[in-house]
Amino acid sequence: MTSTNSTHDYAELQASVYALGAAAREYQAALRLARTGAWGVRFDRLRPVDGEIIVPGREAHRPHDMALFEIADKLGALVTCMETSYEDAALLYAYGATWAAHEIIQGRAPNLVEVRLRDSIPAPGTRPVIGEHLTRWAGRTDYARALGTLLDAELALEHGSGLASEDDLADHEVGEMHDALIRAEGLADAAYAFGVQAERSVHFAINVIAREIATR
């Protein structure tokens, strides 16, 4: 719910933004743990045990190999799942915090972050540009740099995915697609890094811009 009360207490809104960041950090940590676990059972760094067992009516097999294959398969699936969840949570953090700052700059006082979703990722129309309102903020340079990195990753994903959907690509387009998708692999981290800056911009908007609006 959005209010225009000049004496509005922004504690709930700040908690809402912080919760988005906390969720992204949990997925980020879970992804790191999953990747560490998956790395730990890679066959190129382990020496499989040669011992075999046999079950009556079946061929002999190596139980250690089977254990490693099963663990690697399940951890690999977990890595994929956590990659998707972390990316979604980081984007929600980035755009949710940006939305909150934008609302404050516009003189509104929402209690909670409101995010318009396309599936689980904010739609392009929910990306308010607030940079021109941050010229007096000491963190504006870091904010602009983080935003540029995020937008580059998003454009790379859009370009690479577009090429991947084509049926017949020229050789140079295949290389272009791979390069774009590699750059897009940093999207989740870029979104989280920008979310941190966007959350800081919320504090600036509350402590400086909202106070100025209230005294007009």
Side-chain angles (χ1 to χ4, degrees):
M1 181 177 178
T2 299
S3 169
T4 56
N5 187 347
S6 62
T7 61
H8 183 76
D9 183 357
Y10 290 96
E12 283 187 300
L13 179 63
Q14 292 182 85
S16 185
V17 173
Y18 183 82
L20 286 173
R25 285 187 287 276
E26 294 296 345
Y27 282 117
Q28 184 185 63
L31 174 57
R32 288 173 179 165
L33 288 172
R35 285 174 171 169
T36 299
W39 178 83
V41 292
R42 284 174 48 177
F43 273 80
D44 59 356
R45 63 170 302 276
L46 287 177
R47 178 188 174 95
V49 175
D50 292 334
E52 296 183 344
I53 66 170
I54 190 169
V55 176
R58 301 182 183 179
E59 295 182 357
H61 66 269
R62 294 154 56 113
H64 189 236
D65 283 8
M66 292 185 66
L68 292 179
F69 277 123
E70 182 180 7
I71 294 169
D73 182 63
K74 291 182 176 179
L75 286 175
L78 178 61
V79 167
T80 299
C81 178
M82 289 300 99
E83 286 175 341
T84 299
S85 295
Y86 171 42
E87 183 177 293
D88 287 352
L91 286 167
L92 285 172
Y93 178 37
Y95 295 137
T98 307
W99 178 89
H102 177 263
E103 291 294 293
I104 296 165
I105 290 168
Q106 295 303 312
R108 294 184 284 271
N111 293 320
L112 303 174
V113 170
E114 178 181 324
V115 181
R116 298 181 183 276
L117 302 179
R118 182 194 69 237
D119 296 328
S120 59
I121 300 175
T126 64
R127 303 176 188 178
V129 178
I130 62 174
E132 68 271 18
H133 299 282
L134 304 176
T135 54
R136 292 171 293 150
W137 179 36
R140 64 188 182 279
T141 301
D142 291 337
Y143 177 96
R145 185 183 300 114
L147 177 58
T149 301
L150 172 58
L151 294 178
D152 285 345
E154 288 187 316
L155 288 173
L157 177 61
E158 184 178 352
H159 183 55
S161 299
L163 289 172
S165 67
E166 298 292 332
D167 294 330
D168 189 16
L169 295 178
D171 289 343
H172 75 277
E173 289 178 317
V174 172
E176 193 176 323
M177 177 190 69
H178 286 301
D179 290 343
L181 291 177
I182 288 173
R183 293 200 308 275
E185 289 178 356
L187 176 58
D189 286 335
Y192 176 75
F194 175 67
V196 172
Q197 299 304 321
E199 182 174 2
R200 290 172 181 168
S201 78
V202 172
H203 300 313
F204 173 79
I206 290 172
N207 294 324
V208 177
I209 297 177
R211 289 181 180 179
E212 290 178 350
I213 293 174
T215 59
R216 289 175 187 171

